Amino acid sequence: MKSVLVLFGAGCVGALLTSLIFWLLTYLGLGHYVKFPYFPVLSSGWLYPKLLWGGVYALLLLIPVLESKLWLKAILLSIVITLVHLFIALPFSVYKGAAGLNIGLYAFLFALLFNFLWASITALTVKFAK
C-alpha cells in the first residue's frame, strides 16, 4: 500500500511541475515561436486532470518489469504514454488528428518532451521518497 501511495504522489508531483513548466513556457511566448496554438490558462480546471492522470500513470511503474531500473522504466513509460496520447487521445477524444497534427507540427515533440520531463521528475521523486 505504501508503494502505491508513493507512486501516486510522485506522479502528481511530476504532473504539477511539468504542467507549471509548460504553462510558464507558453506564457513566455514559446508557443508563438514554434507556432503551437495551444495556450493553457492556469486554473484548477486545467491542472486537476493533469494531476490525476499523472498519479494514475505513475501507478504503471508497479508493473514488475525492470524492477531495479526505475529510470529506464520511467522513460519507457513516458514513450508509451506519448504514443497513447498521440494516437488514441488526440484523434478520438479531443479530435485533433493523428499525432496532434491539427494542433501544430510540433505537437508530437511537445508531447514527447513533456512526458519525458514528467517521467524524470516522477522517478526522481520516487527515489527521494524511498
Side-chain angles (χ1 to χ4, degrees):
M1 182 67 172
K2 183 179 176 184
S3 61
V4 170
L5 293 174
V6 167
L7 286 173
F8 187 83
C12 289
V13 168
L16 176 64
L17 293 177
T18 303
S19 296
L20 291 175
I21 291 168
F22 179 73
W23 174 81
L24 182 64
L25 290 175
T26 56
Y27 180 79
L28 294 175
L30 180 68
H32 288 294
Y33 181 71
V34 295
K35 296 181 175 82
F36 189 69
Y38 178 66
F39 304 101
V41 175
L42 189 59
S43 66
S44 60
W46 176 74
L47 192 57
Y48 178 74
K50 288 160 184 42
L51 296 177
L52 178 66
W53 281 109
V56 170
Y57 286 147
L59 294 178
L60 294 174
L61 293 171
L62 287 170
I63 296 172
V65 176
L66 300 170
E67 300 235 1
S68 64
K69 302 195 187 311
L70 177 64
W71 289 98
L72 180 60
K73 193 176 192 179
I75 290 168
L76 291 174
L77 178 59
S78 75
I79 293 169
V80 169
I81 292 169
T82 300
L83 292 174
V84 168
H85 282 159
L86 292 176
F87 296 107
I88 295 175
L90 287 176
F92 300 114
S93 180
V94 292
Y95 310 108
K96 298 298 182 184
L101 291 177
N102 291 351
I103 296 174
L105 186 59
Y106 296 105
F108 67 96
L109 290 175
F110 275 94
L112 190 61
L113 173 71
F114 283 98
N115 284 326
F116 175 76
L117 183 62
W118 167 83
S120 299
I121 294 170
T122 300
L124 189 64
T125 306
V126 168
K127 187 172 181 170
F128 282 136
K130 289 187 175 184

Short mmCIF file of all heavy atoms in Angstrom, two decimals, residues 4-16 54-55 58 61 118 121-127 129:
data_model
loop_
_atom_site.label_atom_id
_atom_site.label_comp_id
_atom_site.label_asym_id
_atom_site.label_seq_id
_atom_site.Cartn_x
_atom_site.Cartn_y
_atom_site.Cartn_z
N VAL A 4 2.10 2.17 -3.44
CA VAL A 4 1.04 2.74 -4.27
C VAL A 4 0.90 4.23 -3.97
O VAL A 4 0.82 5.07 -4.88
CB VAL A 4 -0.30 2.00 -4.05
CG1 VAL A 4 -1.45 2.73 -4.72
CG2 VAL A 4 -0.21 0.58 -4.54
N LEU A 5 0.89 4.59 -2.69
CA LEU A 5 0.76 5.99 -2.31
C LEU A 5 1.97 6.81 -2.75
O LEU A 5 1.83 7.94 -3.22
CB LEU A 5 0.57 6.10 -0.79
CG LEU A 5 -0.74 5.55 -0.24
CD1 LEU A 5 -0.75 5.59 1.27
CD2 LEU A 5 -1.92 6.32 -0.82
N VAL A 6 3.17 6.23 -2.59
CA VAL A 6 4.38 6.93 -3.02
C VAL A 6 4.35 7.18 -4.52
O VAL A 6 4.65 8.28 -4.99
CB VAL A 6 5.64 6.15 -2.60
CG1 VAL A 6 6.88 6.69 -3.29
CG2 VAL A 6 5.82 6.19 -1.09
N LEU A 7 3.99 6.16 -5.29
CA LEU A 7 3.96 6.31 -6.74
C LEU A 7 2.90 7.30 -7.18
O LEU A 7 3.14 8.14 -8.05
CB LEU A 7 3.72 4.96 -7.42
CG LEU A 7 4.92 4.02 -7.41
CD1 LEU A 7 4.52 2.66 -7.95
CD2 LEU A 7 6.07 4.61 -8.21
N PHE A 8 1.71 7.22 -6.59
CA PHE A 8 0.65 8.15 -6.97
C PHE A 8 1.05 9.58 -6.63
O PHE A 8 0.91 10.50 -7.45
CB PHE A 8 -0.68 7.80 -6.27
CG PHE A 8 -1.83 8.63 -6.77
CD1 PHE A 8 -2.49 8.27 -7.92
CD2 PHE A 8 -2.22 9.77 -6.10
CE1 PHE A 8 -3.55 9.03 -8.41
CE2 PHE A 8 -3.27 10.54 -6.56
CZ PHE A 8 -3.93 10.18 -7.72
N GLY A 9 1.59 9.78 -5.44
CA GLY A 9 2.04 11.11 -5.04
C GLY A 9 3.17 11.62 -5.92
O GLY A 9 3.18 12.80 -6.31
N ALA A 10 4.11 10.75 -6.26
CA ALA A 10 5.22 11.15 -7.12
C ALA A 10 4.72 11.51 -8.51
O ALA A 10 5.19 12.47 -9.12
CB ALA A 10 6.25 10.02 -7.22
N GLY A 11 3.74 10.77 -9.02
CA GLY A 11 3.15 11.10 -10.32
C GLY A 11 2.44 12.44 -10.29
O GLY A 11 2.51 13.21 -11.26
N CYS A 12 1.78 12.74 -9.18
CA CYS A 12 1.12 14.05 -9.04
C CYS A 12 2.14 15.17 -8.97
O CYS A 12 1.94 16.23 -9.58
CB CYS A 12 0.23 14.06 -7.80
SG CYS A 12 -1.25 13.05 -7.94
N VAL A 13 3.24 14.96 -8.24
CA VAL A 13 4.30 15.97 -8.17
C VAL A 13 4.90 16.19 -9.56
O VAL A 13 5.10 17.33 -9.99
CB VAL A 13 5.39 15.55 -7.16
CG1 VAL A 13 6.63 16.43 -7.28
CG2 VAL A 13 4.85 15.60 -5.74
N GLY A 14 5.18 15.10 -10.26
CA GLY A 14 5.71 15.22 -11.62
C GLY A 14 4.76 15.96 -12.54
O GLY A 14 5.18 16.82 -13.32
N ALA A 15 3.47 15.66 -12.43
CA ALA A 15 2.47 16.33 -13.27
C ALA A 15 2.35 17.81 -12.91
O ALA A 15 2.22 18.66 -13.80
CB ALA A 15 1.12 15.64 -13.13
N LEU A 16 2.41 18.12 -11.63
CA LEU A 16 2.32 19.52 -11.21
C LEU A 16 3.49 20.34 -11.76
O LEU A 16 3.29 21.39 -12.37
CB LEU A 16 2.27 19.62 -9.69
CG LEU A 16 2.27 21.03 -9.11
CD1 LEU A 16 1.01 21.78 -9.53
CD2 LEU A 16 2.41 20.98 -7.61
N GLY A 54 -1.46 12.08 -13.95
CA GLY A 54 -0.05 11.88 -13.58
C GLY A 54 0.08 10.85 -12.49
O GLY A 54 0.96 9.98 -12.53
N GLY A 55 -0.79 10.90 -11.49
CA GLY A 55 -0.78 9.90 -10.42
C GLY A 55 -1.16 8.52 -10.91
O GLY A 55 -0.53 7.52 -10.55
N ALA A 58 1.62 7.01 -13.00
CA ALA A 58 2.74 6.59 -12.17
C ALA A 58 2.50 5.20 -11.56
O ALA A 58 3.45 4.47 -11.30
CB ALA A 58 3.00 7.61 -11.08
N LEU A 61 4.16 2.11 -12.90
CA LEU A 61 5.51 1.74 -12.50
C LEU A 61 5.50 0.52 -11.57
O LEU A 61 6.56 -0.05 -11.29
CB LEU A 61 6.22 2.91 -11.84
CG LEU A 61 6.53 4.09 -12.76
CD1 LEU A 61 7.04 5.28 -11.96
CD2 LEU A 61 7.55 3.70 -13.82
N TRP A 118 7.95 14.64 -17.25
CA TRP A 118 7.11 14.08 -16.18
C TRP A 118 7.73 12.80 -15.63
O TRP A 118 7.82 12.63 -14.41
CB TRP A 118 5.70 13.78 -16.71
CG TRP A 118 4.92 12.93 -15.77
CD1 TRP A 118 4.23 13.34 -14.68
CD2 TRP A 118 4.81 11.50 -15.80
NE1 TRP A 118 3.68 12.25 -14.03
CE2 TRP A 118 4.02 11.12 -14.70
CE3 TRP A 118 5.29 10.51 -16.65
CZ2 TRP A 118 3.70 9.79 -14.43
CZ3 TRP A 118 4.98 9.20 -16.38
CH2 TRP A 118 4.19 8.84 -15.29
N ILE A 121 10.87 13.62 -13.45
CA ILE A 121 10.51 14.20 -12.15
C ILE A 121 9.87 13.15 -11.26
O ILE A 121 10.16 13.07 -10.06
CB ILE A 121 9.59 15.42 -12.33
CG1 ILE A 121 10.35 16.55 -13.03
CG2 ILE A 121 9.03 15.89 -11.00
CD1 ILE A 121 9.48 17.71 -13.47
N THR A 122 9.00 12.32 -11.84
CA THR A 122 8.34 11.26 -11.07
C THR A 122 9.37 10.26 -10.54
O THR A 122 9.33 9.90 -9.35
CB THR A 122 7.28 10.55 -11.93
OG1 THR A 122 6.31 11.52 -12.33
CG2 THR A 122 6.60 9.43 -11.17
N ALA A 123 10.29 9.82 -11.37
CA ALA A 123 11.32 8.87 -10.93
C ALA A 123 12.20 9.48 -9.85
O ALA A 123 12.55 8.81 -8.88
CB ALA A 123 12.16 8.41 -12.12
N LEU A 124 12.55 10.73 -10.00
CA LEU A 124 13.37 11.42 -9.00
C LEU A 124 12.62 11.53 -7.67
O LEU A 124 13.21 11.31 -6.60
CB LEU A 124 13.76 12.80 -9.53
CG LEU A 124 14.77 13.58 -8.73
CD1 LEU A 124 16.11 12.85 -8.71
CD2 LEU A 124 14.95 14.96 -9.32
N THR A 125 11.33 11.84 -7.74
CA THR A 125 10.52 11.93 -6.53
C THR A 125 10.40 10.58 -5.83
O THR A 125 10.51 10.48 -4.61
CB THR A 125 9.11 12.48 -6.86
OG1 THR A 125 9.25 13.72 -7.57
CG2 THR A 125 8.29 12.70 -5.61
N VAL A 126 10.21 9.51 -6.61
CA VAL A 126 10.15 8.16 -6.04
C VAL A 126 11.47 7.82 -5.38
O VAL A 126 11.51 7.27 -4.27
CB VAL A 126 9.78 7.11 -7.12
CG1 VAL A 126 9.99 5.71 -6.60
CG2 VAL A 126 8.35 7.30 -7.58
N LYS A 127 12.56 8.15 -6.03
CA LYS A 127 13.88 7.83 -5.49
C LYS A 127 14.11 8.56 -4.16
O LYS A 127 14.62 7.97 -3.21
CB LYS A 127 14.95 8.21 -6.49
CG LYS A 127 16.34 7.78 -6.10
CD LYS A 127 17.32 8.01 -7.21
CE LYS A 127 18.68 7.54 -6.75
NZ LYS A 127 19.65 7.50 -7.79
N ALA A 129 11.77 9.59 -2.14
CA ALA A 129 10.77 9.16 -1.15
C ALA A 129 11.14 7.82 -0.52
O ALA A 129 10.66 7.50 0.57
CB ALA A 129 9.40 9.02 -1.81
#
